[in-house]
Amino acid sequence: MVTIFVLESIHQSGIDVLRDAGKVENMIGWPRERILAQLHRADAVVCKSVTHVDREFIDAAPRLKLVGRAGTGTDNFDKPYLAQKNIPLLTVPRGNSVSAAEFAVMCILMLAKRAVPAIDAVRAGDFRRDLLEGRELQGLRVGLLGYGNVGRLAAERLRGFGCKVLVHDSVAQKMQEAVAEGATPVASVAELLAASEIVSLHATYNDQSKGIINREILQHARPGLWLVNIARGGLMVDQDVLAALDSGRLAGLAIDTLAPEPPFNAEPGSHGYDHPYLHHPRVVVFPHMAASTDEAQERIAVTLARDMCGLIAGWQEEMAQ
Ligand code: MLT
């Protein structure tokens, strides 16, 4: 019987589908060392963004024939080594794009409407609304860095608010799509930061995009720029972003994906995780929850589980011949 390790939480409907294909073992929240010690028994694993499926992980799993990623990003996988070992990596690239795009728009609204300082002020008994004047989205220049699945859906929603959408993507075809859909193309990241009032990051995290928001590029930003990052923390050089927040070059940051990621399964007070953004008055931090909607999680879990079952059935047919 095929043994499938589930290493990060997925929607129950996906687990139910996987049970048709084999024995499902729940190892959610286990420490890495404990998982590594069991991996010799795994034929397939399911994970999300926290598990580092690196060389050490893959070498600890001699039976491993399939990796399922319940989501989009694959920056936590050693893809060349998986390919070398002929282990397919299944993802669900569009499964959470709508949820993520909606979350980006929420962050943009929160920054433009000054929602967090308003909530904090009112909680402290301060009702001086004149100190909290916001901006209308209508006519606001919103820059999107990246026009993939999420950037594109965010643009569609922002157009509904009457925003002027500016786009930079390093892929020419993506730029053409953006233009065809009514966005203003911007030739470089620096120009995007200079021309926008809010910039939302939707780039894939890889060796080329790592630290793309850095000290040099931030010098081009329009003073008082707001930044939204629901993509990956590693797109930004944190100390440079913090310096820009302190100098006023950046007016605020809403971020969903810290680098390194916090311990998502730990009880408050039971861990020593900390990050400078958690203490900055103009930063709003979310726990990598842009994709955490019931709809997206169910869609992703069922799609992934069905795809995994299809591959597993293929192995079983081969073995039966
Ligand atoms: C993704 O890459 O799919 C999202 O960041 C959500 C996740 O990592 O689970």
Side-chain angles (χ1 to χ4, degrees), residues 8 48-50 69-75 92-93 96 100 230-232 256-257 261 288 290-292 297 300:
E8 294 179 59
K48 290 163 93 176
S49 64
V50 172
R69 187 336 187 175
T72 307
T74 54
D75 43 294
V92 191
N96 54 28
I230 68 154
R232 284 294 180 271
D256 187 43
T257 50
E261 299 254 53
H288 201 156
S292 299
Q297 291 306 313
I300 284 174

mmCIF file with all atom_site columns, all heavy atoms in Angstrom, residues 8 48-50 69-75 92-93 96 100 230-232 256-257 261 288 290-292 297 300, ligand 1:
data_model
loop_
_atom_site.group_PDB
_atom_site.id
_atom_site.type_symbol
_atom_site.label_atom_id
_atom_site.label_alt_id
_atom_site.label_comp_id
_atom_site.label_asym_id
_atom_site.label_entity_id
_atom_site.label_seq_id
_atom_site.pdbx_PDB_ins_code
_atom_site.Cartn_x
_atom_site.Cartn_y
_atom_site.Cartn_z
_atom_site.occupancy
_atom_site.B_iso_or_equiv
_atom_site.pdbx_formal_charge
_atom_site.auth_seq_id
_atom_site.auth_comp_id
_atom_site.auth_asym_id
_atom_site.auth_atom_id
_atom_site.pdbx_PDB_model_num
ATOM   1   N N   . GLU A 1 8   ? 1.786  19.445 5.983   1.00 0.00 ? 8   GLU A N   1
ATOM   2   C CA  . GLU A 1 8   ? 1.199  20.751 6.328   1.00 0.00 ? 8   GLU A CA  1
ATOM   3   C C   . GLU A 1 8   ? -0.304 20.648 6.089   1.00 0.00 ? 8   GLU A C   1
ATOM   4   O O   . GLU A 1 8   ? -0.754 19.851 5.256   1.00 0.00 ? 8   GLU A O   1
ATOM   5   C CB  . GLU A 1 8   ? 1.817  21.857 5.481   1.00 0.00 ? 8   GLU A CB  1
ATOM   6   C CG  . GLU A 1 8   ? 3.293  22.069 5.797   1.00 0.00 ? 8   GLU A CG  1
ATOM   7   C CD  . GLU A 1 8   ? 3.919  23.157 4.952   1.00 0.00 ? 8   GLU A CD  1
ATOM   8   O OE1 . GLU A 1 8   ? 3.452  24.302 5.012   1.00 0.00 ? 8   GLU A OE1 1
ATOM   9   O OE2 . GLU A 1 8   ? 4.871  22.843 4.214   1.00 0.00 ? 8   GLU A OE2 1
ATOM   10  N N   . LYS A 1 48  ? 3.243  22.505 1.886   1.00 0.00 ? 48  LYS A N   1
ATOM   11  C CA  . LYS A 1 48  ? 2.907  23.844 1.383   1.00 0.00 ? 48  LYS A CA  1
ATOM   12  C C   . LYS A 1 48  ? 4.196  24.663 1.342   1.00 0.00 ? 48  LYS A C   1
ATOM   13  O O   . LYS A 1 48  ? 5.162  24.211 0.740   1.00 0.00 ? 48  LYS A O   1
ATOM   14  C CB  . LYS A 1 48  ? 1.812  24.465 2.258   1.00 0.00 ? 48  LYS A CB  1
ATOM   15  C CG  . LYS A 1 48  ? 0.474  23.766 2.054   1.00 0.00 ? 48  LYS A CG  1
ATOM   16  C CD  . LYS A 1 48  ? -0.507 24.059 3.148   1.00 0.00 ? 48  LYS A CD  1
ATOM   17  C CE  . LYS A 1 48  ? -1.394 25.225 2.836   1.00 0.00 ? 48  LYS A CE  1
ATOM   18  N NZ  . LYS A 1 48  ? -2.424 25.429 3.890   1.00 0.00 ? 48  LYS A NZ  1
ATOM   19  N N   . SER A 1 49  ? 4.234  25.819 2.010   1.00 0.00 ? 49  SER A N   1
ATOM   20  C CA  . SER A 1 49  ? 5.400  26.699 1.856   1.00 0.00 ? 49  SER A CA  1
ATOM   21  C C   . SER A 1 49  ? 6.437  26.544 2.958   1.00 0.00 ? 49  SER A C   1
ATOM   22  O O   . SER A 1 49  ? 7.519  27.111 2.870   1.00 0.00 ? 49  SER A O   1
ATOM   23  C CB  . SER A 1 49  ? 4.940  28.162 1.811   1.00 0.00 ? 49  SER A CB  1
ATOM   24  O OG  . SER A 1 49  ? 4.341  28.507 3.045   1.00 0.00 ? 49  SER A OG  1
ATOM   25  N N   . VAL A 1 50  ? 6.110  25.783 4.009   1.00 0.00 ? 50  VAL A N   1
ATOM   26  C CA  . VAL A 1 50  ? 7.009  25.754 5.169   1.00 0.00 ? 50  VAL A CA  1
ATOM   27  C C   . VAL A 1 50  ? 8.067  24.657 5.053   1.00 0.00 ? 50  VAL A C   1
ATOM   28  O O   . VAL A 1 50  ? 9.225  24.854 5.424   1.00 0.00 ? 50  VAL A O   1
ATOM   29  C CB  . VAL A 1 50  ? 6.177  25.580 6.468   1.00 0.00 ? 50  VAL A CB  1
ATOM   30  C CG1 . VAL A 1 50  ? 7.079  25.362 7.667   1.00 0.00 ? 50  VAL A CG1 1
ATOM   31  C CG2 . VAL A 1 50  ? 5.294  26.801 6.688   1.00 0.00 ? 50  VAL A CG2 1
ATOM   32  N N   . ARG A 1 69  ? 2.403  19.873 -3.806  1.00 0.00 ? 69  ARG A N   1
ATOM   33  C CA  . ARG A 1 69  ? 2.514  21.199 -3.176  1.00 0.00 ? 69  ARG A CA  1
ATOM   34  C C   . ARG A 1 69  ? 1.110  21.803 -3.214  1.00 0.00 ? 69  ARG A C   1
ATOM   35  O O   . ARG A 1 69  ? 0.603  22.126 -4.302  1.00 0.00 ? 69  ARG A O   1
ATOM   36  C CB  . ARG A 1 69  ? 3.521  22.015 -3.972  1.00 0.00 ? 69  ARG A CB  1
ATOM   37  C CG  . ARG A 1 69  ? 3.997  23.382 -3.494  1.00 0.00 ? 69  ARG A CG  1
ATOM   38  C CD  . ARG A 1 69  ? 3.160  24.145 -2.599  1.00 0.00 ? 69  ARG A CD  1
ATOM   39  N NE  . ARG A 1 69  ? 3.681  25.493 -2.373  1.00 0.00 ? 69  ARG A NE  1
ATOM   40  C CZ  . ARG A 1 69  ? 3.018  26.379 -1.677  1.00 0.00 ? 69  ARG A CZ  1
ATOM   41  N NH1 . ARG A 1 69  ? 1.836  26.111 -1.147  1.00 0.00 ? 69  ARG A NH1 1
ATOM   42  N NH2 . ARG A 1 69  ? 3.520  27.579 -1.508  1.00 0.00 ? 69  ARG A NH2 1
ATOM   43  N N   . ALA A 1 70  ? 0.484  21.926 -2.051  1.00 0.00 ? 70  ALA A N   1
ATOM   44  C CA  . ALA A 1 70  ? -0.884 22.452 -1.994  1.00 0.00 ? 70  ALA A CA  1
ATOM   45  C C   . ALA A 1 70  ? -0.848 23.969 -2.108  1.00 0.00 ? 70  ALA A C   1
ATOM   46  O O   . ALA A 1 70  ? -1.009 24.697 -1.130  1.00 0.00 ? 70  ALA A O   1
ATOM   47  C CB  . ALA A 1 70  ? -1.560 22.009 -0.703  1.00 0.00 ? 70  ALA A CB  1
ATOM   48  N N   . GLY A 1 71  ? -0.603 24.453 -3.317  1.00 0.00 ? 71  GLY A N   1
ATOM   49  C CA  . GLY A 1 71  ? -0.523 25.894 -3.553  1.00 0.00 ? 71  GLY A CA  1
ATOM   50  C C   . GLY A 1 71  ? 0.295  26.161 -4.798  1.00 0.00 ? 71  GLY A C   1
ATOM   51  O O   . GLY A 1 71  ? 0.425  25.288 -5.675  1.00 0.00 ? 71  GLY A O   1
ATOM   52  N N   . THR A 1 72  ? 0.864  27.369 -4.848  1.00 0.00 ? 72  THR A N   1
ATOM   53  C CA  . THR A 1 72  ? 1.499  27.849 -6.072  1.00 0.00 ? 72  THR A CA  1
ATOM   54  C C   . THR A 1 72  ? 3.020  27.884 -6.001  1.00 0.00 ? 72  THR A C   1
ATOM   55  O O   . THR A 1 72  ? 3.705  27.317 -6.845  1.00 0.00 ? 72  THR A O   1
ATOM   56  C CB  . THR A 1 72  ? 0.996  29.284 -6.358  1.00 0.00 ? 72  THR A CB  1
ATOM   57  O OG1 . THR A 1 72  ? -0.419 29.268 -6.364  1.00 0.00 ? 72  THR A OG1 1
ATOM   58  C CG2 . THR A 1 72  ? 1.517  29.794 -7.681  1.00 0.00 ? 72  THR A CG2 1
ATOM   59  N N   . GLY A 1 73  ? 3.550  28.596 -4.994  1.00 0.00 ? 73  GLY A N   1
ATOM   60  C CA  . GLY A 1 73  ? 4.993  28.880 -4.932  1.00 0.00 ? 73  GLY A CA  1
ATOM   61  C C   . GLY A 1 73  ? 5.805  27.608 -4.751  1.00 0.00 ? 73  GLY A C   1
ATOM   62  O O   . GLY A 1 73  ? 5.408  26.689 -4.031  1.00 0.00 ? 73  GLY A O   1
ATOM   63  N N   . THR A 1 74  ? 6.974  27.579 -5.412  1.00 0.00 ? 74  THR A N   1
ATOM   64  C CA  . THR A 1 74  ? 7.831  26.384 -5.302  1.00 0.00 ? 74  THR A CA  1
ATOM   65  C C   . THR A 1 74  ? 9.243  26.766 -4.861  1.00 0.00 ? 74  THR A C   1
ATOM   66  O O   . THR A 1 74  ? 10.205 26.061 -5.128  1.00 0.00 ? 74  THR A O   1
ATOM   67  C CB  . THR A 1 74  ? 7.885  25.636 -6.653  1.00 0.00 ? 74  THR A CB  1
ATOM   68  O OG1 . THR A 1 74  ? 8.279  26.564 -7.673  1.00 0.00 ? 74  THR A OG1 1
ATOM   69  C CG2 . THR A 1 74  ? 6.555  25.006 -7.007  1.00 0.00 ? 74  THR A CG2 1
ATOM   70  N N   . ASP A 1 75  ? 9.343  27.920 -4.182  1.00 0.00 ? 75  ASP A N   1
ATOM   71  C CA  . ASP A 1 75  ? 10.672 28.376 -3.781  1.00 0.00 ? 75  ASP A CA  1
ATOM   72  C C   . ASP A 1 75  ? 11.263 27.543 -2.649  1.00 0.00 ? 75  ASP A C   1
ATOM   73  O O   . ASP A 1 75  ? 12.449 27.661 -2.370  1.00 0.00 ? 75  ASP A O   1
ATOM   74  C CB  . ASP A 1 75  ? 10.631 29.863 -3.405  1.00 0.00 ? 75  ASP A CB  1
ATOM   75  C CG  . ASP A 1 75  ? 9.426  30.220 -2.566  1.00 0.00 ? 75  ASP A CG  1
ATOM   76  O OD1 . ASP A 1 75  ? 8.302  30.139 -3.086  1.00 0.00 ? 75  ASP A OD1 1
ATOM   77  O OD2 . ASP A 1 75  ? 9.619  30.547 -1.379  1.00 0.00 ? 75  ASP A OD2 1
ATOM   78  N N   . VAL A 1 92  ? -0.722 23.509 -7.692  1.00 0.00 ? 92  VAL A N   1
ATOM   79  C CA  . VAL A 1 92  ? -2.052 23.939 -8.162  1.00 0.00 ? 92  VAL A CA  1
ATOM   80  C C   . VAL A 1 92  ? -1.938 25.448 -8.432  1.00 0.00 ? 92  VAL A C   1
ATOM   81  O O   . VAL A 1 92  ? -2.352 26.276 -7.618  1.00 0.00 ? 92  VAL A O   1
ATOM   82  C CB  . VAL A 1 92  ? -3.145 23.636 -7.117  1.00 0.00 ? 92  VAL A CB  1
ATOM   83  C CG1 . VAL A 1 92  ? -4.530 23.830 -7.737  1.00 0.00 ? 92  VAL A CG1 1
ATOM   84  C CG2 . VAL A 1 92  ? -3.019 22.219 -6.580  1.00 0.00 ? 92  VAL A CG2 1
ATOM   85  N N   . PRO A 1 93  ? -1.349 25.812 -9.564  1.00 0.00 ? 93  PRO A N   1
ATOM   86  C CA  . PRO A 1 93  ? -0.927 27.194 -9.787  1.00 0.00 ? 93  PRO A CA  1
ATOM   87  C C   . PRO A 1 93  ? -2.028 28.250 -9.707  1.00 0.00 ? 93  PRO A C   1
ATOM   88  O O   . PRO A 1 93  ? -1.765 29.355 -9.275  1.00 0.00 ? 93  PRO A O   1
ATOM   89  C CB  . PRO A 1 93  ? -0.300 27.190 -11.172 1.00 0.00 ? 93  PRO A CB  1
ATOM   90  C CG  . PRO A 1 93  ? -0.195 25.778 -11.593 1.00 0.00 ? 93  PRO A CG  1
ATOM   91  C CD  . PRO A 1 93  ? -1.020 24.927 -10.686 1.00 0.00 ? 93  PRO A CD  1
ATOM   92  N N   . ASN A 1 96  ? -5.339 29.388 -5.820  1.00 0.00 ? 96  ASN A N   1
ATOM   93  C CA  . ASN A 1 96  ? -5.615 30.428 -4.819  1.00 0.00 ? 96  ASN A CA  1
ATOM   94  C C   . ASN A 1 96  ? -5.461 31.846 -5.368  1.00 0.00 ? 96  ASN A C   1
ATOM   95  O O   . ASN A 1 96  ? -5.403 32.809 -4.593  1.00 0.00 ? 96  ASN A O   1
ATOM   96  C CB  . ASN A 1 96  ? -4.734 30.229 -3.576  1.00 0.00 ? 96  ASN A CB  1
ATOM   97  C CG  . ASN A 1 96  ? -3.258 30.140 -3.919  1.00 0.00 ? 96  ASN A CG  1
ATOM   98  O OD1 . ASN A 1 96  ? -2.816 30.709 -4.915  1.00 0.00 ? 96  ASN A OD1 1
ATOM   99  N ND2 . ASN A 1 96  ? -2.495 29.435 -3.099  1.00 0.00 ? 96  ASN A ND2 1
ATOM   100 N N   . ALA A 1 100 ? -5.820 35.406 -3.341  1.00 0.00 ? 100 ALA A N   1
ATOM   101 C CA  . ALA A 1 100 ? -4.632 36.245 -3.172  1.00 0.00 ? 100 ALA A CA  1
ATOM   102 C C   . ALA A 1 100 ? -4.868 37.645 -3.749  1.00 0.00 ? 100 ALA A C   1
ATOM   103 O O   . ALA A 1 100 ? -4.493 38.656 -3.125  1.00 0.00 ? 100 ALA A O   1
ATOM   104 C CB  . ALA A 1 100 ? -3.434 35.586 -3.834  1.00 0.00 ? 100 ALA A CB  1
ATOM   105 N N   . ILE A 1 230 ? 2.340  40.532 -0.748  1.00 0.00 ? 230 ILE A N   1
ATOM   106 C CA  . ILE A 1 230 ? 1.687  39.271 -0.370  1.00 0.00 ? 230 ILE A CA  1
ATOM   107 C C   . ILE A 1 230 ? 2.343  38.120 -1.140  1.00 0.00 ? 230 ILE A C   1
ATOM   108 O O   . ILE A 1 230 ? 1.810  37.012 -1.147  1.00 0.00 ? 230 ILE A O   1
ATOM   109 C CB  . ILE A 1 230 ? 0.164  39.292 -0.622  1.00 0.00 ? 230 ILE A CB  1
ATOM   110 C CG1 . ILE A 1 230 ? -0.139 39.331 -2.126  1.00 0.00 ? 230 ILE A CG1 1
ATOM   111 C CG2 . ILE A 1 230 ? -0.517 40.435 0.097   1.00 0.00 ? 230 ILE A CG2 1
ATOM   112 C CD1 . ILE A 1 230 ? -1.488 38.745 -2.467  1.00 0.00 ? 230 ILE A CD1 1
ATOM   113 N N   . ALA A 1 231 ? 3.489  38.409 -1.781  1.00 0.00 ? 231 ALA A N   1
ATOM   114 C CA  . ALA A 1 231 ? 4.139  37.381 -2.622  1.00 0.00 ? 231 ALA A CA  1
ATOM   115 C C   . ALA A 1 231 ? 5.129  36.570 -1.785  1.00 0.00 ? 231 ALA A C   1
ATOM   116 O O   . ALA A 1 231 ? 4.765  35.517 -1.257  1.00 0.00 ? 231 ALA A O   1
ATOM   117 C CB  . ALA A 1 231 ? 4.797  38.045 -3.818  1.00 0.00 ? 231 ALA A CB  1
ATOM   118 N N   . ARG A 1 232 ? 6.342  37.084 -1.599  1.00 0.00 ? 232 ARG A N   1
ATOM   119 C CA  . ARG A 1 232 ? 7.328  36.408 -0.747  1.00 0.00 ? 232 ARG A CA  1
ATOM   120 C C   . ARG A 1 232 ? 8.202  37.472 -0.079  1.00 0.00 ? 232 ARG A C   1
ATOM   121 O O   . ARG A 1 232 ? 8.648  38.430 -0.733  1.00 0.00 ? 232 ARG A O   1
ATOM   122 C CB  . ARG A 1 232 ? 8.230  35.480 -1.579  1.00 0.00 ? 232 ARG A CB  1
ATOM   123 C CG  . ARG A 1 232 ? 7.575  34.179 -2.005  1.00 0.00 ? 232 ARG A CG  1
ATOM   124 C CD  . ARG A 1 232 ? 7.255  33.246 -0.832  1.00 0.00 ? 232 ARG A CD  1
ATOM   125 N NE  . ARG A 1 232 ? 6.629  32.002 -1.258  1.00 0.00 ? 232 ARG A NE  1
ATOM   126 C CZ  . ARG A 1 232 ? 5.318  31.806 -1.401  1.00 0.00 ? 232 ARG A CZ  1
ATOM   127 N NH1 . ARG A 1 232 ? 4.464  32.787 -1.154  1.00 0.00 ? 232 ARG A NH1 1
ATOM   128 N NH2 . ARG A 1 232 ? 4.851  30.630 -1.770  1.00 0.00 ? 232 ARG A NH2 1
ATOM   129 N N   . ASP A 1 256 ? 2.325  39.964 3.975   1.00 0.00 ? 256 ASP A N   1
ATOM   130 C CA  . ASP A 1 256 ? 1.682  38.697 4.352   1.00 0.00 ? 256 ASP A CA  1
ATOM   131 C C   . ASP A 1 256 ? 2.700  37.568 4.467   1.00 0.00 ? 256 ASP A C   1
ATOM   132 O O   . ASP A 1 256 ? 2.369  36.503 4.960   1.00 0.00 ? 256 ASP A O   1
ATOM   133 C CB  . ASP A 1 256 ? 0.630  38.351 3.280   1.00 0.00 ? 256 ASP A CB  1
ATOM   134 C CG  . ASP A 1 256 ? -0.213 37.139 3.656   1.00 0.00 ? 256 ASP A CG  1
ATOM   135 O OD1 . ASP A 1 256 ? -0.628 37.052 4.824   1.00 0.00 ? 256 ASP A OD1 1
ATOM   136 O OD2 . ASP A 1 256 ? -0.452 36.291 2.776   1.00 0.00 ? 256 ASP A OD2 1
ATOM   137 N N   . THR A 1 257 ? 3.923  37.810 3.978   1.00 0.00 ? 257 THR A N   1
ATOM   138 C CA  . THR A 1 257 ? 4.857  36.681 3.861   1.00 0.00 ? 257 THR A CA  1
ATOM   139 C C   . THR A 1 257 ? 6.230  37.089 4.378   1.00 0.00 ? 257 THR A C   1
ATOM   140 O O   . THR A 1 257 ? 7.033  37.647 3.634   1.00 0.00 ? 257 THR A O   1
ATOM   141 C CB  . THR A 1 257 ? 4.995  36.272 2.385   1.00 0.00 ? 257 THR A CB  1
ATOM   142 O OG1 . THR A 1 257 ? 5.265  37.456 1.634   1.00 0.00 ? 257 THR A OG1 1
ATOM   143 C CG2 . THR A 1 257 ? 3.758  35.598 1.870   1.00 0.00 ? 257 THR A CG2 1
ATOM   144 N N   . GLU A 1 261 ? 9.680  32.441 7.487   1.00 0.00 ? 261 GLU A N   1
ATOM   145 C CA  . GLU A 1 261 ? 8.275  32.307 7.860   1.00 0.00 ? 261 GLU A CA  1
ATOM   146 C C   . GLU A 1 261 ? 8.150  32.059 9.369   1.00 0.00 ? 261 GLU A C   1
ATOM   147 O O   . GLU A 1 261 ? 9.014  31.391 9.958   1.00 0.00 ? 261 GLU A O   1
ATOM   148 C CB  . GLU A 1 261 ? 7.659  31.105 7.133   1.00 0.00 ? 261 GLU A CB  1
ATOM   149 C CG  . GLU A 1 261 ? 7.696  31.215 5.616   1.00 0.00 ? 261 GLU A CG  1
ATOM   150 C CD  . GLU A 1 261 ? 6.338  31.510 5.007   1.00 0.00 ? 261 GLU A CD  1
ATOM   151 O OE1 . GLU A 1 261 ? 5.694  32.490 5.431   1.00 0.00 ? 261 GLU A OE1 1
ATOM   152 O OE2 . GLU A 1 261 ? 5.935  30.765 4.106   1.00 0.00 ? 261 GLU A OE2 1
ATOM   153 N N   . HIS A 1 288 ? 0.783  35.010 6.479   1.00 0.00 ? 288 HIS A N   1
ATOM   154 C CA  . HIS A 1 288 ? 0.744  34.274 5.198   1.00 0.00 ? 288 HIS A CA  1
ATOM   155 C C   . HIS A 1 288 ? -0.646 33.646 5.001   1.00 0.00 ? 288 HIS A C   1
ATOM   156 O O   . HIS A 1 288 ? -0.781 32.425 4.853   1.00 0.00 ? 288 HIS A O   1
ATOM   157 C CB  . HIS A 1 288 ? 1.827  33.192 5.151   1.00 0.00 ? 288 HIS A CB  1
ATOM   158 C CG  . HIS A 1 288 ? 2.165  32.755 3.750   1.00 0.00 ? 288 HIS A CG  1
ATOM   159 N ND1 . HIS A 1 288 ? 3.367  32.184 3.395   1.00 0.00 ? 288 HIS A ND1 1
ATOM   160 C CD2 . HIS A 1 288 ? 1.436  32.800 2.598   1.00 0.00 ? 288 HIS A CD2 1
ATOM   161 C CE1 . HIS A 1 288 ? 3.363  31.889 2.104   1.00 0.00 ? 288 HIS A CE1 1
ATOM   162 N NE2 . HIS A 1 288 ? 2.197  32.265 1.599   1.00 0.00 ? 288 HIS A NE2 1
ATOM   163 N N   . ALA A 1 290 ? -3.115 35.062 2.762   1.00 0.00 ? 290 ALA A N   1
ATOM   164 C CA  . ALA A 1 290 ? -3.840 35.557 1.585   1.00 0.00 ? 290 ALA A CA  1
ATOM   165 C C   . ALA A 1 290 ? -4.605 34.432 0.888   1.00 0.00 ? 290 ALA A C   1
ATOM   166 O O   . ALA A 1 290 ? -5.679 34.653 0.331   1.00 0.00 ? 290 ALA A O   1
ATOM   167 C CB  . ALA A 1 290 ? -2.875 36.221 0.612   1.00 0.00 ? 290 ALA A CB  1
ATOM   168 N N   . ALA A 1 291 ? -4.032 33.230 0.927   1.00 0.00 ? 291 ALA A N   1
ATOM   169 C CA  . ALA A 1 291 ? -4.682 32.104 0.237   1.00 0.00 ? 291 ALA A CA  1
ATOM   170 C C   . ALA A 1 291 ? -5.588 31.315 1.175   1.00 0.00 ? 291 ALA A C   1
ATOM   171 O O   . ALA A 1 291 ? -6.189 30.321 0.768   1.00 0.00 ? 291 ALA A O   1
ATOM   172 C CB  . ALA A 1 291 ? -3.613 31.183 -0.343  1.00 0.00 ? 291 ALA A CB  1
ATOM   173 N N   . SER A 1 292 ? -5.666 31.748 2.429   1.00 0.00 ? 292 SER A N   1
ATOM   174 C CA  . SER A 1 292 ? -6.404 30.963 3.427   1.00 0.00 ? 292 SER A CA  1
ATOM   175 C C   . SER A 1 292 ? -7.887 31.294 3.412   1.00 0.00 ? 292 SER A C   1
ATOM   176 O O   . SER A 1 292 ? -8.414 31.899 4.351   1.00 0.00 ? 292 SER A O   1
ATOM   177 C CB  . SER A 1 292 ? -5.814 31.203 4.819   1.00 0.00 ? 292 SER A CB  1
ATOM   178 O OG  . SER A 1 292 ? -4.488 30.795 4.839   1.00 0.00 ? 292 SER A OG  1
ATOM   179 N N   . GLN A 1 297 ? -8.763 26.833 -0.338  1.00 0.00 ? 297 GLN A N   1
ATOM   180 C CA  . GLN A 1 297 ? -8.145 25.661 0.283   1.00 0.00 ? 297 GLN A CA  1
ATOM   181 C C   . GLN A 1 297 ? -8.822 24.373 -0.162  1.00 0.00 ? 297 GLN A C   1
ATOM   182 O O   . GLN A 1 297 ? -8.164 23.361 -0.392  1.00 0.00 ? 297 GLN A O   1
ATOM   183 C CB  . GLN A 1 297 ? -8.155 25.812 1.810   1.00 0.00 ? 297 GLN A CB  1
ATOM   184 C CG  . GLN A 1 297 ? -7.215 26.901 2.310   1.00 0.00 ? 297 GLN A CG  1
ATOM   185 C CD  . GLN A 1 297 ? -5.769 26.724 1.808   1.00 0.00 ? 297 GLN A CD  1
ATOM   186 O OE1 . GLN A 1 297 ? -5.204 25.644 1.870   1.00 0.00 ? 297 GLN A OE1 1
ATOM   187 N NE2 . GLN A 1 297 ? -5.180 27.785 1.278   1.00 0.00 ? 297 GLN A NE2 1
ATOM   188 N N   . ILE A 1 300 ? -7.826 23.776 -3.895  1.00 0.00 ? 300 ILE A N   1
ATOM   189 C CA  . ILE A 1 300 ? -6.433 23.324 -4.007  1.00 0.00 ? 300 ILE A CA  1
ATOM   190 C C   . ILE A 1 300 ? -6.286 21.887 -3.531  1.00 0.00 ? 300 ILE A C   1
ATOM   191 O O   . ILE A 1 300 ? -5.667 21.045 -4.197  1.00 0.00 ? 300 ILE A O   1
ATOM   192 C CB  . ILE A 1 300 ? -5.516 24.261 -3.186  1.00 0.00 ? 300 ILE A CB  1
ATOM   193 C CG1 . ILE A 1 300 ? -5.311 25.561 -3.945  1.00 0.00 ? 300 ILE A CG1 1
ATOM   194 C CG2 . ILE A 1 300 ? -4.183 23.610 -2.864  1.00 0.00 ? 300 ILE A CG2 1
ATOM   195 C CD1 . ILE A 1 300 ? -4.557 26.607 -3.184  1.00 0.00 ? 300 ILE A CD1 1
HETATM 196 C C1  . MLT B 2 .   ? 1.203  29.937 -2.507  1.00 0.00 ? 1   MLT B C1  1
HETATM 197 O O1  . MLT B 2 .   ? 2.342  30.031 -2.960  1.00 0.00 ? 1   MLT B O1  1
HETATM 198 O O2  . MLT B 2 .   ? 0.404  29.085 -2.921  1.00 0.00 ? 1   MLT B O2  1
HETATM 199 C C2  . MLT B 2 .   ? 0.736  30.870 -1.455  1.00 0.00 ? 1   MLT B C2  1
HETATM 200 O O3  . MLT B 2 .   ? 1.768  31.690 -1.013  1.00 0.00 ? 1   MLT B O3  1
HETATM 201 C C3  . MLT B 2 .   ? 0.047  30.199 -0.311  1.00 0.00 ? 1   MLT B C3  1
HETATM 202 C C4  . MLT B 2 .   ? 0.859  29.112 0.316   1.00 0.00 ? 1   MLT B C4  1
HETATM 203 O O4  . MLT B 2 .   ? 2.071  29.129 0.312   1.00 0.00 ? 1   MLT B O4  1
HETATM 204 O O5  . MLT B 2 .   ? 0.276  28.170 0.841   1.00 0.00 ? 1   MLT B O5  1
#
